[in-house]
Amino acid sequence: MFSLLLLLLPSLSFSPSAWAACNAVDKEALLGFKRTITADPSRLLQSWISSTDCCTSWKGVTCNSVGRVVNVTRSGLVSDDDDLLDTFMNGTLSPSLGNLSYLQLLDLSNLKNLKGPIPPEFGKLRRLTHLFLNSNQLTGSIPATFKHLSRLERLFLNNNHISGIIPFSVIGSLTALTELGLSENQLRGSIPATIGKLVLLTKLDLHANNLSGSLPTTIGKLKSLKYLDLSQNTIKGSIPKSIGGLSALVLLDLNQNQITGSIPSSISGLISLQFCRISENKLTGSLPPSIGHLPSIQRLILENNKLTGKLPATMGHLVTLTELFLSNNRITSKIPSSFSNLQNLQTLDLSRNHLSGELPTELAKLQNLQTLDLSFNPLGLVSIPKWFAKLKLFRLMLAKTGIRGSLPRWLSSTSISTLDLSDNALTGKLPPWIGNMTSLSLLNLSNNGLHSSIPAEFKNLRRLMDLDLHSNKFSGNLDIIFSKGTDDPIGHYNSIDLSDNMFAGPINDSVLQSSAMDSITSLVLSYNLLKGSIPKSIRKLSELRILKVVSNGLSGKIPVELGDAMGLTTILLSRNNLMGSIPGKVINLNELKEFDVSHNQLRGEIPPHKAIIPVSSFIGNPGLCGAPLPPCERS
C-alpha cells in the first residue's frame, strides 16, 4: 500500500534530465547493487548499462544538476500507463548503495525476493529522507548506524523477517520522522521510551511482531500522531494516562496483546479518534464515563477482555458511533436507554456478558441498526420484544437469552439474513411462514424444543447457506432441506447440522445431487433415525470436508465412492450397522485427520493407511483386524 501511495506522490522537484554526466562513484554504487541481483525477470534493471549515462538513460534513477544520484526507485509495484504491474527480483542489498552520498529517496519495496540483511553502510546516507524496503524477505536487525539518518522523514521496513530489538539510540535520533512502519516482522523487546522524541510522527505501525514490555508513557508526547497500530504483539502493563494527550489520533489499534488494568479516564482527550480497537487483551475494571466524550468515534471495539461494571449512560453521547463491540466481557446491569441516541449505530454486539433487566423500548429508534447481538446474556426475555419489528435488522442474534414459546410471526415480514435463536426454550412447530423469510442466509435454531417435520415452504429459502437445527425434536425426511432452491450464485449450502433429532430416512440418493448441496463443506446428521445405506452420490460433494453420521442405524457397505470426495478431513460413521470391509480409497484420503467406524459390523483387514487413527476408532467390529487392532490370523 505504501508503494502505491508513492506512485501518487508529487515528484521531489528533481529535474527529469540531469545537467551533468552521472558521477562515477554513484554509477559504480548502482552497478554494485545490480551485481547482487541474481534474477530480474521483470527487467527492472535492464536499462542499467555501464556504457550509458545513469542520469539520463537508467530507469528509476534521478540526478541533480551536478550529476549526483538523488532518487532510486525500483519498486515491485510499478506504473505502466494506467495500470499497476506487480513485479519482483531476487538478490540482496549491496553495501555499495551506501556510497550514494547525495541520495534522498531509496525505494526498493515490494520486490518480494530481496533477502539478506540491511547493510550497515546505509547509515552513510546522511541526506536520505525517504527509505522504503518493505515487502521483501530481509533478515537481520535494524542497523545501529541508522542513528545517523537524521533527515529521514519516512521509514518503512514492514513485511520482512527483521529480528532483534528496536534500537533505542536509532529511534531517539530520527527526530525528523513523520511515518515509521516496522510491522509484520520478528522484532522483540520493548518499544523504546525514546519514541517520545519523534514529535513530528503522524504514523507509527509496529503491528504483528513479538514486542513485549509496557507502553512507554512518553508516547503521550506525540502530539501529531494520527495512526497508532501496535496490535498482534505481547505488550503488557496498563494503558498510560498520557495517551490522552494524543489529540490528533484518528486510529488506535492495540488488539491482541496482554494489556491489563483499566481504560484510563484520560481517553476523553482523544478528540479526533475515529477507530479504537483494544480487543483480545486483559482489560479489567469498568468503562470510564469519560468514554462517552469521544466526539469523532465511529468504531469502538473492546471485545474479549475482562471488563466489569455497568455500561455508562454517557455512551449515549457517541452520536457518531457506527459499530460497538463489547462481547465476551463481564459487564452487568441493564442496557442504558441513552443508547437510543446512537442514531448512526449499525452494529451493536453486547453478547457474552452478564446483562440483565428489561430492554429499553427506546432502542426502537435505532433505525440504522443492521446487526444486533445480545446472545448469552441472562436477559430473561421470555419472548422477543414486539418493538424489534420496527428495526430494519439484517442480523439478529439472541442465543440463550431466555426466549420461550413459539417463533413470533412478525419475523416473516423482515429482511433478516442471519437469525440465531439457539440455546433457548422455543417450542411448537417450524411454521410454514418460515418460507417468507427469503433473505435468510444463516438460520440457527439449535438446542431448543421445536418439533414437527420441515414444511414444504422451506424450499423458498433460496439464499440459505448455513443451517443448524441440532438438538430439537424435528422429524420426517430430509428431502425438503437438501433439495431447496438456490438464488445463484448464493443459496448453496456451506454447512448443515441436523444432529440429535428424529429425522427418518433413508437418505435419497438423488437429493444429494441437488444444486443446493454442490458446495457443502460440513454435513452433520448424527443421532437420528435415518437407516438405509450411505448414498453413492456422496461422491458428488466435491467440497465436503466434514461428514458425521453417527448412530443412525445405517446398513450396507461403506461406499468406495466416498473416496472421491477428496477434501474430506473428518469421517465419523460409528454406532451404525455397516457391513463389509473398509475401502482403502476412503481411509487413505490425503486430507483425512479424523476417522471413526467403531461399533458396526465391519469385517476384514484394515487397509494400510497414512493417517494416525486410534484403536478406539475401530473397536466394536468383531470381524476387523490389522493395525492398529491385533493382526489378522492367517490360515
Side-chain angles (χ1 to χ4, degrees):
M1 183 176 72
F2 304 129
S3 299
L4 181 59
L5 290 172
L6 276 176
L7 297 174
L8 306 176
L9 284 175
S11 67
L12 296 178
S13 302
F14 303 131
S15 170
S17 59
W19 300 347
C22 179
N23 180 275
V25 173
D26 291 357
K27 176 183 278 192
E28 179 53 33
L30 294 173
L31 289 173
F33 168 61
K34 184 178 180 180
R35 285 192 289 271
T36 63
I37 299 304
T38 57
D40 182 19
S42 307
R43 299 182 178 181
L44 292 174
L45 305 180
Q46 185 179 31
S47 62
W48 291 23
I49 302 171
S50 59
S51 59
T52 59
D53 191 304
C54 72
C55 292
T56 56
S57 302
W58 293 15
K59 286 186 177 180
V61 177
T62 308
C63 299
N64 63 12
S65 59
V66 294
R68 303 308 301 261
V69 173
V70 292
N71 181 341
V72 176
T73 302
R74 290 285 79 190
S75 170
L77 284 177
V78 294
S79 178
D80 180 25
D81 297 325
D82 295 329
D83 297 323
L84 282 175
L85 300 178
D86 195 8
T87 61
F88 66 96
M89 63 171 71
N90 296 7
T92 58
L93 292 171
S94 172
S96 69
L97 290 174
N99 295 328
L100 298 172
S101 55
Y102 281 76
L103 195 65
Q104 296 178 37
L105 185 151
L106 177 60
D107 183 3
L108 298 175
S109 62
N110 261 297
L111 293 170
K112 289 81 172 175
N113 293 325
L114 276 187
K115 298 181 179 179
I118 302 171
E121 287 81 359
F122 278 25
K124 297 190 295 182
L125 302 174
R126 305 295 180 92
R127 290 180 170 86
L128 202 63
T129 61
H130 294 69
L131 178 57
F132 303 100
L133 300 176
N134 51 287
S135 302
N136 287 294
Q137 296 187 44
L138 300 175
T139 53
S141 57
I142 299 172
T145 56
F146 271 27
K147 67 184 179 182
H148 302 304
L149 304 181
S150 59
R151 298 187 187 181
L152 204 58
E153 297 173 10
R154 301 178 70 195
L155 173 60
F156 289 113
L157 306 178
N158 48 291
N159 196 17
N160 280 287
H161 304 294
I162 297 170
S163 56
I165 65 168
I166 302 174
F168 281 52
S169 59
V170 170
I171 293 300
S173 302
L174 304 182
T175 54
L177 268 186
T178 61
E179 297 186 10
L180 176 60
L182 303 177
S183 63
E184 298 179 89
N185 279 291
Q186 297 161 20
L187 295 167
R188 56 180 172 79
S190 301
I191 299 170
T194 50
I195 199 81
K197 294 183 179 181
L198 309 187
V199 294
L200 300 179
L201 207 59
T202 62
K203 179 170 187 169
L204 177 58
D205 188 355
L206 306 178
H207 84 265
N209 278 287
N210 299 314
L211 297 172
S212 55
S214 56
L215 290 171
T217 58
T218 54
I219 208 163
K221 297 179 179 180
L222 306 181
K223 304 298 183 183
S224 300
L225 199 62
K226 295 182 179 179
Y227 182 107
L228 177 59
D229 189 350
L230 307 178
S231 62
Q232 299 176 61
N233 282 287
T234 56
I235 297 169
K236 298 180 175 67
S238 57
I239 300 171
K241 294 179 181 178
S242 63
I243 203 167
L246 305 181
S247 58
L249 198 64
V250 174
L251 181 145
L252 173 62
D253 196 344
L254 303 176
N255 180 52
Q256 287 187 38
N257 279 286
Q258 297 179 28
I259 297 170
T260 54
S262 57
I263 297 172
S265 58
S266 61
I267 194 172
S268 57
L270 305 180
I271 57 175
S272 302
L273 195 63
Q274 296 178 18
F275 178 96
C276 178
R277 183 165 65 168
I278 320 179
S279 50
E280 297 183 57
N281 280 280
K282 298 178 181 179
L283 292 174
T284 55
S286 302
L287 292 171
S290 60
I291 204 168
H293 302 293
L294 298 173
S296 304
I297 194 70
Q298 295 176 19
R299 302 182 67 194
L300 182 58
I301 306 169
L302 302 173
E303 60 194 3
N304 298 319
N305 280 288
K306 299 177 181 179
L307 296 169
T308 56
K310 300 179 180 180
L311 294 170
T314 53
M315 293 183 76
H317 298 152
L318 304 178
V319 293
T320 56
L321 198 63
T322 60
E323 297 183 354
L324 176 60
F325 293 90
L326 285 169
S327 68
N328 201 22
N329 280 286
R330 300 168 184 177
I331 298 169
T332 58
S333 195
K334 297 175 62 175
I335 299 173
S337 58
S338 62
F339 271 40
S340 63
N341 297 325
L342 307 179
Q343 295 295 304
N344 289 302
L345 199 62
Q346 297 174 18
T347 299
L348 177 59
D349 186 352
L350 302 176
S351 62
R352 300 181 186 275
N353 279 286
H354 302 308
L355 296 169
S356 59
E358 192 174 348
L359 297 179
T361 57
E362 292 90 342
L363 296 182
K365 297 178 183 177
L366 302 180
Q367 288 299 295
N368 286 310
L369 196 63
Q370 298 176 10
T371 298
L372 176 61
D373 192 350
L374 302 177
S375 298
F376 300 99
N377 279 289
L379 290 169
L381 288 183
V382 181
S383 62
I384 305 174
K386 290 184 179 180
W387 56 262
F388 272 37
K390 298 178 181 179
L391 299 172
K392 301 170 184 176
L393 295 172
F394 294 150
R395 289 170 288 275
L396 176 60
M397 284 78 83
L398 296 174
K400 203 169 185 179
T401 51
I403 301 170
R404 299 178 175 276
S406 57
L407 290 168
R409 189 177 184 111
W410 58 261
L411 285 170
S412 66
S413 57
T414 66
S415 297
I416 290 174
S417 65
T418 296
L419 180 63
D420 184 355
L421 302 178
S422 60
D423 293 277
N424 281 295
L426 291 169
T427 55
K429 299 181 178 181
L430 189 64
W433 55 252
I434 196 76
N436 295 337
M437 299 185 69
T438 53
S439 296
L440 273 179
S441 64
L442 183 151
L443 177 62
N444 187 351
L445 300 176
S446 64
N447 205 16
N448 278 286
L450 295 166
H451 62 86
S452 78
S453 57
I454 305 300
E457 291 81 0
F458 186 91
K459 287 191 173 185
N460 297 332
L461 303 182
R462 302 176 64 87
R463 298 189 173 191
L464 189 66
M465 295 185 288
D466 292 282
L467 175 65
D468 191 348
L469 302 179
H470 85 262
S471 303
N472 279 282
K473 299 175 183 177
F474 288 112
S475 57
N477 63 47
L478 305 177
D479 290 5
I480 291 172
I481 294 174
F482 289 168
S483 62
K484 76 164 189 70
T486 59
D487 194 1
D488 287 330
I490 58 177
H492 301 260
Y493 282 120
N494 295 318
S495 64
I496 295 176
D497 189 346
L498 306 176
S499 58
D500 288 284
N501 279 285
M502 296 185 290
F503 288 111
I507 303 173
N508 189 324
D509 197 71
S510 62
V511 296
L512 283 186
Q513 302 181 56
S514 71
S515 61
M517 297 292 289
D518 59 12
S519 61
I520 192 165
T521 61
S522 177
L523 180 60
V524 181
L525 305 176
S526 300
Y527 303 103
N528 280 287
L529 307 169
L530 298 181
K531 301 189 182 302
S533 59
I534 300 172
K536 294 181 179 180
S537 60
I538 205 160
R539 67 187 302 177
K540 301 287 187 180
L541 307 183
S542 59
E543 302 296 320
L544 194 62
R545 301 289 178 268
I546 297 171
L547 176 65
K548 299 181 181 181
V549 200
V550 175
S551 190
N552 266 293
L554 295 173
S555 56
K557 296 183 177 182
I558 299 173
V560 68
E561 289 84 358
L562 187 59
D564 292 331
M566 303 291 289
L568 275 167
T569 63
T570 300
I571 301 175
L572 304 185
L573 305 175
S574 61
R575 299 186 182 279
N576 284 290
N577 297 310
L578 298 171
M579 303 165 59
S581 59
I582 299 172
K585 186 176 181 180
V586 175
I587 201 172
N588 278 293
L589 283 163
N590 285 335
E591 303 298 323
L592 194 64
K593 300 289 188 298
E594 190 177 5
F595 182 78
D596 192 344
V597 291
S598 60
H599 301 285
N600 279 284
Q601 299 177 35
L602 299 171
R603 304 186 64 82
E605 185 171 8
I606 299 170
H609 49 277
K610 295 170 286 186
I612 300 173
I613 303 172
V615 173
S616 59
S617 294
F618 300 102
I619 61 173
N621 291 280
L624 277 183
C625 56
L629 295 178
C632 300
E633 295 182 4
R634 305 297 180 186
S635 57

